[in-house]
Amino acid sequence: MDKNGTDHQKTCQDNGSRRARRGNSIHTISGVVLDELQKASMMKRNEKYGSLPLREKQILNSLVPEQDSSCQQGLYFQDGSRRVDYILTYHIKKSGAFRKQPTRHGDNASKSSTKKDQPLPMKKNDPEIGEQDLSMDYHEDDKRFRREEFEGNLLEAGLELEKDEDSCRDADSEHGCPRNQTLTKTYGIGFVKIHAPWNVLCREAEFMKLKMPTKKVYEVNHGNNFVEKINTFIHKITEPLHPNLEEKRISSVKHLSYPFSREKQHLFDLSDKDSFFDSKTRSTIVYEILKRIACTKAKYSMGITNLLANGVYNAAYPLHDGDCESENAEPNDRKLLYEEWASYSVFYKYQPIDLIRKYFGEKIGLYFAWLGVYTQMLIPASLVGIIVFLYGCATVDDNIPSMEMCDSRINITMCPLCDRTCSYWKLSTACATARASHLFDNPATVFFSIFMALWAAMFMEHWKRRQMRLNYKWDLTGFEEEEDHPRAEYESRVMKKSMKKEHRKRKKHPEVVNEGTNKWKQTVETAMAGVKLIGLTFAIVFGVILYRISTAAALAMSSSPSTKSNVRVTVMATAVIINLVVILVLDELYGYIARWLTLIEVPKTDKSFEERLIFKAFVLKFVNAFTPIMYVAFFKGRFVGRPGNYVYAFQSFRMEECAPGGCLMELCIQLSIIMLGKQLIQNNLFEIGIPKLKKLIRYFKSKRTSVPEEEHDKKLQRYEVDYYLEPFAGLTPEYMEMMIQFGFVTLFVASFPLAPLFALLNNIIEIRLDAKKFVAELRRPVAARAKDIETVLRPATVLITPAFVIAFTSDFIPRLVYLYMYSTDGSMHGFINHTLSYFNVSDFKSGTEPIEPMQLGYKVEICRFKDYREPPWSLNGYDISKQFWAVLAARLAFVIVFQNLVMIMSDFVDWMIPDIPKDISVQIHKEKVLMVELFLKEERGKLQMLENLIARGKEAKSMENCNNHSPINRPQSHKKSSASLHSQNIDV
């Protein structure tokens, strides 16, 4: 039992003793009568496993707690001493012979029944209703029998159960409930409270090889004196950033941990058995028992997972430690987490990782530790990104290419942007786009891309070291994950296959079925389903492309000059919004589809299920989020053609081109809107709005009753309040969100240097949002042990490829090629003219020339377009020029050099920084040495005791031989020596 619950337990014990003195008796469950055979079986189980009386071992109904009793919270059994470690819930449905009108929640339910609450007899002349009732009764009786068998097996395994139902609603008495019988406030739901006694906890802890702290304490060395002084100094400086916990000081001692063993209980500190196993460990032990206990009434049925899948029970969960939001709530770990972790007012503080692990388990603790490390590492990346952005702002007026583009004195006439309706235009009109592009397309962005690649490698190494420290601190250094129990769906599939085999054996000509062929066929079907989904994403992106092309053509035919001048902005803004909406919708849809595809495969264990689900969800959501961005980065403007020979979609619409300043600015806008919109909408709407909407729906439902929701909640037991919370659905959605964000930060960071800053701001809110969700809005998950999350992080490492964005999207490589190969004075003067090709307007195809060729006020004979092609007066007019191949070769060379440079530097960082910190390696070795010394000391003690015993035995024997020479004292001495030997044996 937790330390916080000691006072609460004493109060409950006092209240329980007062109730016992008043003569209250324990009543069995109303409506559930065990036959004589079951009673005999229960007696045998209790005689075998328990030292408690039989009445306390049976499935008990609760006593009515007094209004001023703190036991009313439902954290303990009705005796006030046994803590509730786990809860099972099930639906209670009435028999088909009678129908009852549902009664309202609250105190009115315990009053005498009125006429409208009397059972309604079934119509005898309606055979359809009768058959439905008989079918319902059969299924409900089958579930009840399976529950009785399962609960009986739990009793046989040593667990203690207590049952609460709304049985008072079923009472036919006109006087309502008995005075001392529990009325559950949750109508139609029965609760089974489970308690694991000390002997069961010890037995299962030994089976599960749980490491528990021993009495042996040793001093922890945090490195040499210099390093220890630096750590102490940093800790003092960051003192305001640490949460207000009793354990926030750096401890200089640590208990030596060892897998629990009943034979070596003397090694462990068992002075307080109630707090030796905390609530997290107790619930984990009970859950392991629930998973392996068999229910043989249903063939091949095994464990609680199968019973939940078949509707025998509708929920199974451990209890929260108590209330967290009330100011008058008793101190507990949940309330402490709510105040020091789940509050937005402590956003600047570190997370209480040790307390998170203590309450939720190692797996959830590792996730939030990883999220904290990732968020901390975003701070230097954000600072560098801000510096790069400010550098672009400071040098925009000194950028020669943008200055030449904005100079109206340079008379550069550009070719029309569309057929017929578009006319010739001046390059200087794109001045704003060129200046804005320089903010993100400058030499500093190349440095920032290299920096972010190294940052990703540093982040991975830093997390490995942090993970090893947590493994050492949480006693997970020697932990090895064992194969989990089979999932309910897997057992059901095995059951169906076994039944089919038995059915085929009964036939005269059994069919030969190749199981390997069926498995291969199932794998192919799953892969094809995934390919179809990815094809759906590409189809939607292609549809948005067609929208952009058609909308641009339609707006170009407008008679409004302002509309014509803002065609690019209008098309780009509307297309980005459409992409964002599609991404959000498909993101939720792909989450369900990934789970459905994983269910089709029927993985054997929960770990295998989670790994496959993460891989499928990552692939689908990655394609969904990044396909529109990749189109703008790598495909837009690449397959346009040239004037007089454009590429058309469906022979009607010209493929869209990049702006004169390049596609990098549009990529930046698209990336920023999708990234910010996805994070803001998903965080605020899906993670905050939907839970509040569900709570609002529950509020309106409670308005139909006579008791308001606030008053109703005050009267609910702890297990009833937790029942109305949302069930825990796993960490996969949280991981997916962070992995997609990691892609935004690393893959396209060259086009948007402020991405780490927005990711940092989002994560600061995300941590507190997830904390509040886990503490206050979700049922308490079963604590799961894990020592790493490398399986989840492995797909994220493939995203570190920003070289392609720099090489093919920005103008960095063309500028370098011009500067070192074609510039006459070693400067960027003339770069714009170098990147533009010539076109003779007389070469337009019939029907594609501008309708208004004199819009600029003069006749145009030569127009320019952005490409590397030969001029029309050359022998190979309009062919690709040598400059194009030089730039392409430089781009490919840059990708190869950049990627290999990043890989070499990442490997160097990996080599320089060891995965295991030196002090942790020393402490792990020290623990092994101390453990060996402890056992050697114990063995020496045993040998010394045995030698003393032998020596004392020889001494007693010699005294006996001496006394044999005296016939007078012989009987007395013989009796005395026998007594001494007997006392020695007792001492040993």
Side-chain angles (χ1 to χ4, degrees), residues 397-666:
D397 292 331
D398 300 330
N399 183 35
I400 296 176
S402 60
M403 292 172 60
E404 288 183 350
M405 190 177 295
C406 295
D407 191 354
S408 59
R409 295 172 298 177
I410 301 177
N411 188 16
I412 298 179
T413 304
M414 302 297 294
C415 296
L417 297 175
C418 63
D419 294 342
R420 301 291 292 171
T421 55
C422 298
S423 185
Y424 306 103
W425 56 284
K426 291 288 187 178
L427 181 61
S428 59
T429 57
C431 175
T433 304
R435 292 174 62 86
S437 297
H438 179 73
L439 300 178
F440 307 100
D441 189 4
N442 54 71
T445 58
V446 180
F447 159 76
F448 188 54
S449 299
I450 299 175
F451 170 81
M452 289 303 297
L454 295 178
W455 172 88
M458 291 289 294
F459 162 65
M460 297 295 295
E461 295 302 318
H462 180 46
W463 166 243
K464 289 179 183 178
R465 294 171 63 85
R466 172 64 171 162
Q467 186 172 256
M468 284 304 303
R469 289 189 180 277
L470 293 177
N471 288 340
Y472 163 73
K473 193 174 184 180
W474 296 349
D475 298 321
L476 296 172
T477 50
F479 170 70
E480 294 183 0
E481 296 184 8
E482 299 179 356
E483 186 175 359
D484 200 359
H485 297 279
R487 298 174 60 251
E489 292 81 0
Y490 179 81
E491 292 178 345
S492 177
R493 177 65 63 89
V494 172
M495 179 189 67
K496 291 179 180 179
K497 287 185 177 181
S498 301
M499 294 176 65
K500 288 180 179 180
K501 288 182 180 180
E502 293 179 0
H503 181 67
R504 287 195 296 267
K505 287 180 181 180
R506 295 174 185 174
K507 294 182 178 180
K508 295 181 180 180
H509 302 285
E511 298 177 2
V512 179
V513 180
N514 191 346
E515 297 293 339
T517 303
N518 290 340
K519 187 176 182 180
W520 173 253
K521 182 179 179 181
Q522 179 182 344
T523 304
V524 172
E525 290 177 353
T526 305
M528 290 302 298
V531 171
K532 290 179 181 178
L533 292 173
I534 295 176
L536 172 64
T537 302
F538 284 115
I540 293 175
V541 172
F542 185 69
V544 175
I545 294 173
L546 292 180
Y547 163 79
R548 298 166 66 113
I549 297 172
S550 59
T551 304
L555 293 178
M557 292 185 294
S558 175
S559 58
S560 174
S562 60
T563 304
K564 284 186 176 183
S565 61
N566 296 317
V567 170
R568 287 185 181 274
V569 177
T570 305
V571 172
M572 181 176 60
T574 55
V576 169
I577 294 174
I578 293 174
N579 279 326
L580 176 61
V581 173
V582 170
I583 287 173
L584 293 176
V585 173
L586 290 183
D587 197 61
E588 296 299 316
L589 179 62
Y590 284 164
Y592 292 106
I593 293 177
R595 180 172 292 274
W596 172 69
L597 292 175
T598 310
L599 289 173
I600 291 177
E601 296 180 358
V602 195
K604 183 177 181 179
T605 62
D606 289 332
K607 181 180 179 181
S608 176
F609 178 86
E610 184 178 9
E611 290 177 353
R612 298 185 186 189
L613 176 61
I614 288 176
F615 175 75
K616 291 180 179 61
F618 173 76
V619 171
L620 293 176
K621 293 190 176 185
F622 176 84
V623 172
N624 178 45
F626 290 102
T627 300
I629 299 174
M630 287 184 175
Y631 163 73
V632 176
F634 304 124
F635 297 99
K636 184 180 179 180
R638 308 292 175 184
F639 311 101
V640 178
R642 61 171 180 81
N645 190 21
Y646 284 112
V647 177
Y648 292 87
F650 301 108
Q651 299 180 354
S652 300
F653 303 103
R654 268 174 51 180
M655 298 298 293
E656 57 181 345
E657 305 176 34
C658 291
C663 287
L664 193 67
M665 186 60 196
E666 183 177 351

Side-chain angles (χ1 to χ4, degrees), residues 665-767:
M665 186 60 196
E666 183 177 351
L667 176 63
C668 173
I669 296 173
Q670 180 127 345
L671 179 66
S672 60
I673 292 178
I674 290 179
M675 181 181 178
L676 296 179
K678 192 173 184 296
Q679 292 181 347
L680 293 176
I681 294 177
Q682 281 190 333
N683 289 347
N684 294 325
L685 180 61
F686 296 154
E687 296 191 19
I688 298 178
I690 291 180
K692 291 187 178 298
L693 180 62
K694 292 181 178 179
K695 186 176 181 180
L696 184 64
I697 292 174
R698 290 196 298 268
Y699 172 77
F700 283 120
K701 286 183 178 180
S702 67
K703 293 282 286 184
R704 301 176 183 177
T705 63
S706 59
V707 181
E709 183 183 13
E710 293 78 10
E711 295 295 325
H712 175 65
D713 288 342
K714 292 180 182 179
K715 299 175 183 178
L716 292 178
Q717 301 287 331
R718 178 76 262 157
Y719 49 85
E720 294 178 286
V721 175
D722 288 0
Y723 175 75
Y724 286 109
L725 297 178
E726 290 293 319
F728 176 66
L731 290 172
T732 303
E734 312 298 333
Y735 279 124
M736 287 300 101
E737 184 179 350
M738 291 297 106
M739 290 169 66
I740 296 300
Q741 184 196 91
F742 191 80
F744 282 123
V745 170
T746 55
L747 182 58
F748 297 102
V749 71
S751 62
F752 190 41
L754 297 179
L757 175 63
F758 289 107
L760 173 64
L761 298 177
N762 173 79
N763 288 2
I764 292 174
I765 301 174
E766 180 74 18
I767 289 176

